[in-house]
Amino acid sequence: MVKNENSRFSDYLAIFGSLAYVIMMVGLITLIPLLLLFFYPEEAYQLPCFALPGVLAIFSGYLIKLFTPRHSIKNLERHQGSVIVLLIWFVSILIGAIPFVMSGNYTFTQAIFETTSGFTTTGFTVTDVENSTHMILLYRSILHLFGGVGLVLILSSILSNVYGMQLFSAEGHTDRLTPSLIHSARTIMYIYLGSIISGTILYVTFHMSLFDAINHAISAVATGGFSTKENSIGYWCAERVGLSNSIGIDITTIILMLVGSTNFMATLALLRGKGRDFITHSETKVTIFLLSLATPLITVVLLTSGICDSVLSAIDNATFQVVSVISTTGLSSVDNFLPKLGYATVPVLLMMIVGGHTGSTAGGAKAGRIALAFKSLYYDVRENIVPRRIINSRSINKFGKQMTITKDDQSQNYTYLLIYIMIGFLGAFGLTLNGYGFRDSMIEFFSALGTVGMSIGIIGPDMNNCTMWIFIVGMIIARLEVYIIILALARIGTDIKDSISEMRNKKK
Amino acid sequence: MKKSLFKRALRNFAEVIIIYVLTTLLAYVLDIYSVHSENLLMVYLLGILIIIMQTKSFLATVFSSILFVITHDFLFLNPRYVWVSFSRNFAITSAVFLIAALIVNLLVVRLQKQIEISKENEGLHKKLYKASEGLLSVHGRDDVIEYADNALTELAGAEVEFYFDIDMHDDNEAKKWCYKNSAKCGHGEVEFSDANCKYLPIKSNHKTVGVVSIDCSHKEMSNETELCISALLSQITIAIERESLESERRDELQLREREQIKAKVMKGISHDMFPRVKLINETATSIKEGKNLMEDSEIDEKLVSIIDNSRYLGEVVDNLLDITKDK
């Protein structure tokens, strides 16, 4: 349906009005670190960095809500949901970057980079964590907290919105835990927050400070990767906290990362005692397969390269690193993990591409798509081998149920994976144009595209702006999944084209 | 009722505190950037305006006005962080703040009320329009009355009853009075004000054709609603009249058709009868005048012709008589 100019304009006005709540929410996010002033009053000089943008964002959002017309979009038109989701993320990143800029330690591009890395739960950082204030460090983790679960999901759980479900799906949440949208959103929030609280308690038990515990629990469950220490989790080594505590911290982190990267529906199934459904789920099988393949390999690499001096330490660190990559978290127990891998960077790169489960906080192409791709390949090959008179049904296990695979599903899946790989190569090419080697560019950009956040050495405070913007675009594409961006841009393009042709007709 | 008031008060209090904290935070930050205290007062004024918009509460307005002025004086006026004793400036600032806040509060509350009234009227007019539109497409007196019943019930938000052909021996005095005097009475009116229902006359061509009663025992009827009901009643009356006229027109048409059919039949019959009568007459005349000259067989033949034709005529007359009997 071709809409007239006036209704199209008022739809965009309504879209703009709906951003009011987003702006207020981001304002609130920006104010949270101020709570630390009760514990670290010496950091009061940074109060304006958070208070000013936070309060102004809340007031601005309130005024926008007040002044935009009450007209609301009763039902989203084709791809309008994607436009809204894209705008939500853009606005959030812009406002979220202000505290970094105001702190005086970041340029505008660096601030956008850090905020994008936080919201998209990538974990790349240009922050000198050892010399940063607690407020900045907590703020980064808070970006992970909200970005991990999804900004739209948080909005949906707060507001009972007419078009909530369309936005919910548009942000990439394809499964509903319960029939009610609000209930689904809140269930996800409870699982998420419950994991963080449990993780914090365990970390403190293993002699991590409360501040570090909160930050790392958020980072692990959100599969973000920001750490309060330069050496990441490796800071809490056996020499510092004792072997048992060090292993305890590693195991806690591994569990939290796995929880964060597992489909929330699968987690709910496990919590409800449906272990069989959880184990037979296709994505779980992919994760278990990759873990069992990669962990021994990395263990050998760590031992042979002299990074770890004992088998136990090698197994511990190997398991940690493999889980960190496959969950796309990016936390590290080994200093400079990627550069030391050598030939083993190839399986690591493949794990970065696979990523975590759909409907989780993790990135990557998603284990579900990989499972579907391989299953489709298997069925295609089988069809060519077995006699034609035999009818083969195509199905894949989803939470204990066999779901039929249609030709459409297969084709869309292959298309997505192709686009994903193409974007990866394109980004890597962009990095090579900035003077980086092809291998390093591939690993670094796929790390961004998979929101892993593990760096081979390109990421750092001395990156040029062009490189940073390449990574920023890559991280946004990764978090929103490429289709949303394509559909949103297509929609905006169509609306602009229709508006221009209408204006021309009016002139005639 | 008490619970909802308490909840409302709690919500207002929470809103005041949140806005107070945010406003103070903003003022504090602006103060760090050396913004003058007069401008910081404007920030607090903005905060009060937002409180008024959100709470629309007189109490919240007064409370926040006083709180904001005290906070501003404590935090941003020299000597800072000291409770100063009552001063002329403080009194003037407080008074001006309070008056400004109360004026805005009054305006906002009135505006809000106007918006509510406007919304209600919009709803009423929408119902009226829908009902009027429906009346155009309904046919048949009984269907019109049934539709009108439903439409009025929806418009009034109360039980409605139509009365036509009022019996003067009815017990309901209010109904009879309304019908006889062609004026409204009942609940909220001068006549029969203690009645549960309001009675409105249904007028057509300066003649009252009936009465409609609206139950006002559960809900008072606003002026706007009554106006809309009167407007709808006129339309209902027009619709009923339209249906009556339509019915009359149809009857007339039927009658005319019947007459036309009768005339056709008579014409057909006379066309059929006349030649036979003429034949009988001529045959009888020829027998009378020429019976001495005719053969017996010829006379018999003519007599048979006369008998046949007269038998036929007899049958036609019998049929005509039967038709008139059926009528």
Side-chain angles (χ1 to χ4, degrees), chain B residues 245-260:
Chain B
L245 283 170
E246 180 67 23
S247 176
E248 270 172 37
R249 191 186 72 88
R250 266 196 301 255
D251 290 343
E252 212 172 292
L253 205 67
Q254 258 180 0
L255 196 70
R256 205 180 306 143
E257 272 174 15
R258 211 174 285 136
E259 290 301 316
Q260 274 175 353

Side-chain angles (χ1 to χ4, degrees), chain A residues 228-448:
Chain A
T228 55
K229 301 293 176 197
E230 189 68 37
N231 294 340
S232 190
I233 290 287
Y235 175 86
W236 288 274
C237 53
E239 291 80 22
R240 188 169 267 123
V241 295
L243 183 65
S244 56
N245 288 328
S246 174
I247 291 177
I249 286 171
D250 287 350
I251 292 171
T252 305
T253 314
I254 288 168
I255 294 169
L256 291 177
M257 290 191 290
L258 286 172
V259 166
S261 63
T262 304
N263 188 307
F264 283 114
M265 275 189 81
T267 309
L268 201 64
L270 197 61
L271 290 171
R272 285 177 177 164
K274 295 178 184 172
R276 197 182 150 74
D277 289 351
F278 176 78
I279 294 294
T280 55
H281 177 51
S282 56
E283 289 181 303
T284 312
K285 286 182 190 169
V286 168
T287 305
I288 292 170
F289 174 75
L290 287 171
L291 274 172
S292 33
L293 219 62
T295 308
L297 175 66
I298 303 296
T299 307
V300 165
V301 169
L302 291 177
L303 272 172
T304 53
S305 60
I307 297 168
C308 297
D309 46 18
S310 73
V311 173
L312 181 66
S313 163
I315 293 171
D316 172 35
N317 285 303
T319 312
F320 185 97
Q321 293 299 154
V322 167
V323 170
S324 181
V325 170
I326 216 164
S327 64
T328 74
T329 307
L331 287 169
S332 202
S333 63
V334 171
D335 200 23
N336 282 326
F337 173 66
L338 281 181
K340 293 175 185 171
L341 274 184
Y343 63 88
T345 45
V346 173
V348 167
L349 177 62
L350 291 172
M351 284 194 292
M352 283 181 183
I353 293 171
V354 172
H357 294 193
T358 50
S360 72
T361 64
K366 300 290 165 43
R369 290 197 179 95
I370 303 299
L372 180 58
F374 277 100
K375 260 271 163 120
S376 306
L377 188 65
Y378 163 74
Y379 285 129
D380 286 341
V381 169
R382 192 176 74 168
E383 228 173 62
N384 284 317
I385 295 170
V386 299
R388 285 196 182 273
R389 66 176 185 279
I390 296 173
I391 300 167
N392 298 306
S393 69
R394 295 173 176 232
S395 64
I396 193 164
N397 190 302
K398 230 180 169 191
F399 313 115
K401 292 190 182 86
Q402 288 297 330
M403 309 294 283
T404 312
I405 305 169
T406 62
K407 287 281 180 190
D408 256 347
D409 293 335
Q410 277 181 223
S411 144
Q412 279 175 17
N413 194 48
Y414 285 138
T415 308
Y416 182 89
L417 290 172
L418 190 64
I419 293 173
Y420 189 89
I421 301 293
M422 269 169 55
I423 290 173
F425 273 96
L426 215 64
F429 177 65
L431 291 176
T432 55
L433 291 176
N434 280 278
Y436 300 103
F438 183 69
R439 186 195 82 135
D440 288 1
S441 301
M442 282 282 289
I443 290 169
E444 208 79 330
F445 193 78
F446 272 105
S447 181

Side-chain angles (χ1 to χ4, degrees), chain B residues 161-321:
Chain B
E161 283 242 39
F162 280 85
Y163 302 99
F164 296 97
D165 306 319
I166 308 266
D167 179 10
M168 282 301 147
H169 298 106
D170 201 315
D171 288 336
N172 194 329
E173 294 296 326
K175 190 179 20 167
K176 281 192 298 188
W177 189 95
C178 174
Y179 182 74
K180 221 166 98 178
N181 295 282
S182 197
K184 56 183 177 179
C185 67
H187 185 87
E189 298 298 329
V190 173
E191 300 291 336
F192 301 96
S193 56
D194 53 348
N196 282 335
C197 296
K198 184 172 263 197
Y199 296 89
L200 299 165
I202 306 171
K203 292 189 226 183
S204 163
N205 283 336
H206 307 291
K207 194 181 79 170
T208 309
V209 298
V211 167
V212 63
S213 78
I214 302 164
D215 184 8
C216 297
S217 56
H218 301 293
K219 193 175 126 182
E220 285 295 329
M221 213 164 40
S222 66
N223 288 339
E224 192 62 38
T225 310
E226 207 177 306
L227 270 169
C228 289
I229 288 172
S230 303
L232 187 58
L233 267 179
S234 329
Q235 300 202 24
I236 290 167
T237 315
I238 292 169
I240 293 172
E241 232 171 86
R242 181 194 74 210
E243 289 309 308
S244 301
L245 283 170
E246 180 67 23
S247 176
E248 270 172 37
R249 191 186 72 88
R250 266 196 301 255
D251 290 343
E252 212 172 292
L253 205 67
Q254 258 180 0
L255 196 70
R256 205 180 306 143
E257 272 174 15
R258 211 174 285 136
E259 290 301 316
Q260 274 175 353
I261 291 167
K262 215 165 68 175
K264 245 188 208 162
V265 165
M266 294 310 290
K267 198 174 173 183
I269 288 170
S270 70
H271 272 138
D272 202 24
M273 282 176 77
F274 185 68
R276 289 183 193 265
V277 165
K278 197 174 172 186
L279 185 65
I280 291 170
N281 189 20
E282 282 172 359
T283 310
T285 308
S286 73
I287 292 173
K288 184 185 175 228
E289 286 173 0
K291 66 179 174 190
N292 296 325
L293 301 168
M294 279 180 207
E295 298 282 333
D296 285 344
S297 59
E298 206 184 321
I299 292 169
D300 282 341
E301 209 181 289
K302 285 187 189 289
L303 284 172
V304 163
S305 166
I306 290 169
I307 290 164
D308 285 341
N309 280 298
S310 42
R311 190 181 295 133
Y312 179 81
L313 283 172
E315 279 170 7
V316 168
V317 169
D318 276 339
N319 283 339
L320 273 173
L321 285 172

